[in-house]
Amino acid sequence: GCFVMNRVAGLLARDVMEAQKHPLKFDVLAKCSVSRARTSLMHLPHATVETPVFMPVGTQGTIKGVTPSQMEAMDCRILLGNTYHLGMSPGPELLDKAGGLHKFMSWKRALLTDSGGFQMVSLLKLTEITEQGVKFASPYDGRLLLLTPEESIRIQNSIGADIMMQLDDVVSSTTTGPRVEEAMHRTLRWLDRCIAANQRPTEQNLFPIVQGGLDADLRKQCAEEIIKRDCGGYAIGGLSGGEEKSEFWRMVRVSTSVLPDDKPRYLMGVGYPLDLVVCSALGCDMFDCVSPSRTARFGTLLVDSGELHLKKSMFQEDQQRIDDTCKCTTCAHYTRAQIHHMLKNREGVACSLATVHNLHYELNLMRRIRENIKSGTFPEFACKYVVGLYPDKQYPLWCVEALASVGIQLPS
């Protein structure tokens, strides 16, 4: 009898492990009855993240000019780190000693790391991509280095992020021809090498990436293949790199239509406010982008009507808050004129204040999206948001078409 009981207990434990194959649980809370938008809880080892979510980018493990405690105060639950930069400095050995990036940067919540491949292609002149991996010259000392799928995962295992990305063969989104298909197939082969290399599968999720350039059939084929690997979530890559917006939204839509409903979908490198609204409507759950923090440093601040370029002289006597409706600490304490003067005089703190506002704006935009999905008013919210950006109703054609493709008609 005892043997049978133990056997049953063993099988039950195995079932639980099978059911919880990944350290990620995805609970869809509400779906938009018109579009593909949905709001969910994504349970990760270090945090429960509400989606759709915008993930600020902390390249070196910090967001320039903002502390982890400031990010916590904005209720940010997940940050993105760049494997390429972190692998160079502080490097995996020091991260192992520190007990991972969470401890090294004193951030208790969730982290996602990219694979390092995109930086190679975007930052470095000397890149040769072979079946083995990506060859590049170190910008630190010029040595020739090779980033393989195995090495990318080794560094990401040291970083210890809740979600790691596979190393993919990145081609520019405007590339056409056989190279796009080659990259898609290589990305699948590298995915299997990444999965095999993951030393911490019960602690760290590994997301595959849908590639295929601007070719809908390649994207479909790639999405269908990666689903067979049954990972914790899936990413859509290779977009937001200079392609036409009319092609961009179609590739997003074709990718989300193949990816399963019960797993998170991460649209890489997308974060302009309008794109967040439209791509949430198309069924994406996760986004990241350097633009809100990068443009903040140049004095561009985000508001519902678009952007304020606070370096312009028209703001030098403007006593208004950046945004009357904003609850961020910058809007609570500073006027447009004050920020204008600080930016003009190159005060370091101005970058920090502007970055806090922009990140708060994006995180709050996602909160509004989630609340409207829950209350069944997302289509109305999306329309109101787009009209706020284009009061003359001269909407960009891509935006009209993208929303119409999921049943949302902008007012004429």
Side-chain angles (χ1 to χ4, degrees):
C2 193
F3 169 74
V4 173
M5 285 305 291
N6 283 340
R7 176 111 178 87
V8 169
L11 285 171
L12 283 173
R14 206 187 67 197
D15 283 349
V16 171
M17 279 304 289
E18 273 299 299
Q20 189 55 33
K21 226 190 293 196
H22 311 288
L24 182 158
K25 194 163 154 285
F26 190 66
D27 295 324
V28 179
L29 301 177
K31 289 181 174 182
C32 173
S33 59
V34 178
S35 71
R36 284 190 184 158
R38 70 262 189 87
T39 181
S40 314
L41 290 177
M42 177 169 63
H43 305 278
L44 293 165
H46 291 86
T48 293
V49 177
E50 295 179 64
T51 73
V53 64
F54 173 76
M55 304 181 285
V57 180
T59 302
Q60 312 272 15
T62 54
I63 292 169
K64 290 187 176 75
V66 187
T67 64
S69 54
Q70 283 177 301
M71 293 310 302
E72 268 179 48
M74 291 182 216
D75 201 25
C76 172
R77 309 271 181 95
I78 182 166
L79 292 179
L80 189 139
N82 293 123
T83 291
Y84 167 74
H85 297 291
L86 293 162
M88 288 288 178
S89 162
E93 287 70 27
L94 183 54
L95 284 167
D96 283 336
K97 277 198 190 115
L101 184 60
H102 283 95
K103 290 200 174 84
F104 189 77
M105 66 180 282
S106 52
W107 172 253
K108 297 177 203 64
R109 297 179 176 185
L111 283 170
L112 180 148
T113 40
D114 63 11
S115 67
F118 179 74
Q119 266 75 29
M120 304 283 156
V121 177
S122 62
L123 296 179
L124 303 166
K125 304 292 169 272
L126 276 177
T127 312
E128 188 197 346
I129 299 174
T130 64
E131 191 56 36
Q132 208 185 347
V134 186
K135 281 187 188 154
F136 67 102
S138 163
Y140 293 87
D141 56 14
R143 278 183 310 149
L144 273 178
L145 301 171
L146 175 72
L147 183 71
T148 60
E150 293 77 14
E151 179 66 4
S152 170
I153 297 299
R154 182 180 83 88
I155 300 168
Q156 292 190 79
N157 278 156
S158 294
I159 295 170
D162 300 64
I163 299 172
M164 311 185 286
M165 301 307 300
Q166 76 156 110
L167 183 65
D168 52 344
D169 183 357
V170 181
V171 289
S172 154
S173 55
T174 49
T175 303
T176 52
R179 175 72 184 99
V180 180
E181 186 164 1
E182 177 196 47
M184 188 272 279
H185 288 294
R186 181 173 289 142
T187 292
L188 291 169
R189 292 192 297 273
W190 283 4
L191 168 60
D192 291 330
R193 285 168 60 186
C194 286
I195 292 171
N198 183 9
Q199 296 294 307
R200 303 175 66 183
T202 59
E203 302 161 89
Q204 292 182 272
N205 295 283
L206 177 62
F207 279 22
I209 301 172
V210 178
Q211 288 290 1
L214 303 177
D215 183 322
D217 291 333
L218 284 182
R219 289 240 166 220
K220 268 195 200 119
Q221 198 186 332
C222 190
E224 282 160 5
E225 274 301 315
I226 65 173
I227 293 166
K228 294 176 189 168
R229 308 321 193 260
D230 188 28
C231 294
Y234 301 99
I236 301 165
L239 295 170
S240 75
E243 72 283 347
E244 291 293 326
K245 281 290 207 194
S246 62
E247 298 186 289
F248 160 80
W249 78 260
R250 285 185 170 86
M251 292 305 111
V252 173
R253 187 167 188 270
V254 80
S255 305
T256 60
S257 65
V258 179
L259 293 172
D261 273 341
D262 60 351
K263 302 272 177 86
R265 306 174 188 135
Y266 163 30
L267 180 56
M268 302 177 76
V270 169
Y272 289 115
L274 179 59
D275 296 359
L276 295 174
V277 173
V278 172
C279 294
S280 292
L282 295 175
C284 297
D285 308 295
M286 302 163 65
F287 306 91
D288 80 281
C289 191
V290 292
S291 72
S293 32
R294 184 175 286 166
T295 56
R297 300 198 292 275
F298 297 112
T300 299
L301 282 88
L302 302 171
V303 290
D304 271 2
S305 56
E307 298 176 341
L308 301 176
H309 300 283
L310 286 190
K311 279 187 174 174
K312 290 189 171 168
S313 55
M314 62 188 278
F315 293 109
Q316 67 187 17
E317 292 174 18
D318 191 336
Q319 295 306 312
Q320 295 178 81
R321 301 286 170 206
I322 297 161
D323 179 351
D324 281 337
T325 63
C326 181
K327 305 261 190 297
C328 83
T329 49
T330 302
C331 286
H333 297 108
Y334 296 90
T335 64
R336 295 172 179 189
Q338 283 171 296
I339 304 275
H340 166 84
H341 285 284
M342 287 189 219
L343 285 164
K344 216 173 83 173
N345 298 323
R346 302 214 166 150
E347 289 278 354
V349 74
C351 296
S352 177
L353 293 170
T355 302
V356 164
H357 168 79
N358 278 0
L359 291 175
H360 184 281
Y361 177 85
E362 298 245 322
L363 293 168
N364 193 51
L365 173 59
M366 301 319 289
R367 195 171 302 125
R368 289 151 72 193
I369 289 172
R370 294 193 296 265
E371 281 166 8
N372 279 284
I373 297 170
K374 275 179 206 153
S375 61
T377 50
F378 176 73
E380 293 80 354
F381 170 77
C383 289
K384 206 172 144 205
Y385 191 83
V386 178
V387 172
L389 287 174
Y390 300 97
D392 58 0
K393 312 252 171 65
Q394 300 292 306
Y395 316 118
L397 182 60
W398 76 269
C399 176
V400 177
E401 292 177 342
L403 289 173
S405 80
V406 288
I408 298 177
Q409 306 296 335
L410 289 172
S412 50

